[in-house]
Amino acid sequence: MTYSKSTLWHPFTQHGIAPDSIAIDHAKGAYLYDKDGKRIIDAISSWWVITHGHCNPTIVEAVQKQAAKLDQLIFAGFTHDPAEKLAEKIIHHTGGFYDHVFYSDSGSTAVEVALKMALGYWENKGKSRRKIIALEHGYHGDTFGAMSTGARSVYNRAYEPFLFEVEHIPVPFEGEESKSFEALERILKNNVDDVACFIFEPLLQGAGGMHLYSAEALKTLCDMCKKHDVFLIADEIMTGFGRTGTFLACDQAGINPDIMCLSKGLTGGFLPMSATICTSDIYQAFYSTDKSKMFFHSSSFTANPISCAAAVASLEVWENEDVQGRIDAIAKLHKNALKSLGARPDVENTRLLGTMMAFDIIAEEGGYLSSIQPYLYDFFLSRNILLRPLGNTVYILPPYCVSEKDLEEIYDTLHLALDSLRDERQQCAV
Ligand SMILES: *Cc1c(COP(=O)(O)O)cnc(C)c1O
């Protein structure tokens, strides 16, 4: 290994083997452009955040206007129009069930806020419920609370001794639902009056490997929790804003969690921002004349006006354009593509939910560190497509503006990549 120094320390990057990072100059719609004008299809929405497309003109205009008017403002004791307007829109778009919106700046912090709301609720009520239930294979972010609720894996092995205890139950995968229900029932029964909340990624577990489980199973888990007054925390950070085919994944399960975390697609992926939304029951547990009962949390950039303006504009795109039509069209094309991909002998576990399609490549060594991953990543990039498999799981998660032609190109390239991988393996076997 030759030591090559990079001033920038990139996320999820092993600099000892990573090639130089690709410098992007500008982006538009579903495309990234490098300095030489080379065009790359962003088939994973720049890590799942871009919804309508890069540099959406409605959002660009709103951000430019807001930037010239009010840049940043302390949000304790002060408020501003973009924050107020956004809160109204969030409550409207999430079905009118929620009463309060708490802003922060990333998905991880939205999760920390949600956990602190649930645990703080029980403290303020003098009941001190302290157990948190989460799903196996989950991912809720990289801060310590979020890591604690997520799966224990190579991602966080070094920090495991510092993570707090969380009860992880099996995911109710198809055919294994009863295992999950029984585990939850056992925990609820053995810890009566001690479980504070159940946190989950609804229907689709992203970073854990694009795993799906059914809306019915989720509804059952939630009903069981509600019988024991356990708060439901939906982490809709990746699933929200149309990703799974409906505005929220929870809509498909017919559930109304007490607390919901929103981020990634909140601003259309334009600027960092998150919101933790909750019912008045939660809010009222902190509402008092006693200062020590207030919610002790803030980030410096809470409710940044420019981020709020971007989010308002993104929701206006939802209101004024046929976003749902675009999502449905992608889902239909994905479904077709999966037929031929699923028929291949080297592919298994095809899955589809809204704009997300995924499959596993049958491999001897699976998992996040699978050697198939870098091979495929390079293969796609050499054909000007950004796809970033999770180990031997390949998934597509495009911006909603992606064209049919681009999707067809991506699907064709998937077949080419699989053929190439097969030929490579045969050569190795000789
Ligand atoms: C990305 C993600 C997070 C963390 O969001 P950050 O903005 O990266 O902190 C949390 N939960 C889920 C489900 C995510 O996909």
Side-chain angles (χ1 to χ4, degrees):
M1 185 179 78
T2 51
Y3 182 67
S4 115
K5 188 177 160 207
S6 161
T7 307
L8 285 175
W9 195 343
H10 290 269
F12 277 97
T13 299
Q14 178 44 273
H15 281 282
I17 46 176
D20 287 347
S21 299
I22 300 160
I24 294 301
D25 181 70
H26 61 283
K28 186 78 202 151
Y31 307 123
L32 309 173
Y33 297 87
D34 74 5
K35 290 203 165 94
D36 305 321
K38 189 173 84 183
R39 197 185 83 176
I40 298 171
I41 303 175
D42 185 356
I44 59 163
S45 301
S46 278
W47 248 347
W48 320 347
V49 301
I50 299 290
T51 53
H52 310 302
H54 286 277
C55 292
N56 176 281
T58 305
I59 305 176
V60 169
E61 196 192 326
V63 163
Q64 282 172 337
K65 267 199 189 146
Q66 186 56 45
K69 195 173 173 197
L70 176 65
D71 52 353
Q72 162 67 11
L73 176 72
I74 176 174
F75 206 58
F78 289 84
T79 190
H80 51 82
D81 276 351
E84 302 278 345
K85 202 162 159 192
L86 177 59
E88 251 171 56
K89 280 198 186 292
I90 289 175
I91 284 169
H92 169 73
H93 281 270
T94 51
F97 176 75
Y98 297 96
D99 303 288
H100 302 281
V101 176
F102 190 95
Y103 294 123
S104 49
D105 47 16
S106 75
S108 301
T109 45
V111 168
E112 301 288 342
V113 165
L115 296 172
K116 283 174 73 172
M117 279 180 179
L119 296 169
Y121 174 98
W122 293 112
E123 278 301 314
N124 277 357
K125 293 268 175 180
K127 291 185 181 159
S128 298
R129 289 191 177 206
R130 291 191 175 152
K131 275 210 178 333
I132 296 169
I133 301 175
L135 292 178
E136 287 172 3
H137 307 294
Y139 177 78
H140 299 289
D142 286 336
T143 50
F144 274 87
M147 273 198 292
S148 297
T149 53
R152 305 294 193 265
S153 71
V154 64
Y155 288 21
N156 50 41
R157 197 146 290 148
Y159 313 105
E160 219 178 303
F162 307 96
L163 303 183
F164 56 74
E165 196 189 300
V166 167
E167 301 281 348
H168 287 97
I169 61 168
V171 185
F173 290 133
E174 199 180 335
E176 299 170 25
E177 289 91 343
S178 57
K179 231 170 53 184
S180 177
F181 301 158
E182 281 158 24
L184 179 62
E185 190 60 28
R186 211 175 316 123
I187 295 168
L188 292 171
K189 283 251 164 75
N190 292 343
N191 301 281
V192 178
D193 297 332
D194 197 23
V195 181
C197 59
F198 168 46
I199 182 167
F200 54 87
E201 291 160 274
L203 310 187
L204 167 60
Q205 294 185 297
M210 296 294 163
H211 299 299
L212 295 180
Y213 62 95
S214 77
E216 293 73 34
L218 176 58
K219 172 95 170 77
T220 303
L221 292 174
C222 290
D223 287 346
M224 289 165 72
C225 286
K226 287 324 287 175
K227 274 198 200 122
H228 290 82
D229 295 324
V230 169
F231 286 126
L232 303 174
I233 302 176
D235 177 348
E236 288 259 12
I237 291 165
M238 91 150 309
T239 51
F241 303 96
R243 195 46 80 185
T244 66
T246 44
F247 190 75
L248 299 169
C250 286
D251 296 342
Q252 294 176 47
I255 53 167
N256 284 316
D258 304 277
I259 304 174
M260 186 175 280
C261 305
L262 303 168
S263 186
K264 293 194 164 93
L266 174 59
T267 60
F270 202 102
L271 281 167
M273 168 154 216
S274 62
T276 306
I277 61 178
C278 70
T279 59
S280 62
D281 181 30
I282 306 262
Y283 177 81
Q284 278 170 22
F286 296 84
Y287 189 91
S288 163
T289 50
D290 178 353
K291 261 197 163 177
S292 73
K293 288 199 164 176
M294 72 172 143
F295 188 50
F296 288 100
H297 194 95
S298 174
S299 0
S300 306
F301 290 101
T302 292
N304 171 265
I306 305 172
S307 294
C308 287
V312 167
S314 174
L315 287 170
E316 279 168 359
V317 173
W318 273 93
E319 290 156 17
N320 301 327
E321 297 178 24
D322 186 20
V323 181
Q324 190 63 48
R326 286 175 205 144
I327 289 170
D328 296 343
I330 294 170
K332 213 167 130 196
L333 292 163
H334 277 352
K335 192 170 174 191
N336 247 328
L338 275 177
K339 275 187 210 146
S340 61
L341 283 161
R344 296 184 60 112
D346 44 0
V347 166
E348 62 182 353
N349 301 329
T350 56
R351 39 216 195 264
L352 168 69
L353 190 67
T355 67
M356 189 290 303
M357 67 164 259
F359 58 84
D360 296 340
I361 298 175
I362 297 172
E364 272 163 25
E365 36 144 13
Y368 186 76
L369 302 180
S370 161
S371 64
I372 291 176
Q373 201 274 351
Y375 181 84
L376 291 176
Y377 179 77
D378 292 344
F379 187 93
F380 296 129
L381 261 186
S382 71
R383 281 154 185 82
N384 299 332
I385 295 171
L386 168 57
L387 276 177
R388 215 183 132 94
L390 288 158
N392 61 320
T393 299
V394 180
Y395 68 91
I396 308 178
L397 199 133
Y400 307 155
C401 67
V402 71
S403 70
E404 178 169 350
K405 188 166 162 281
D406 288 337
L407 281 175
E408 295 299 345
E409 189 180 328
I410 296 166
Y411 305 144
D412 290 346
T413 309
L414 288 178
H415 280 286
L416 290 176
L418 288 164
D419 292 345
S420 163
L421 195 62
R422 179 196 58 206
D423 297 346
E424 189 89 351
R425 282 167 164 174
Q426 275 168 359
Q427 270 178 6
C428 290
V430 170

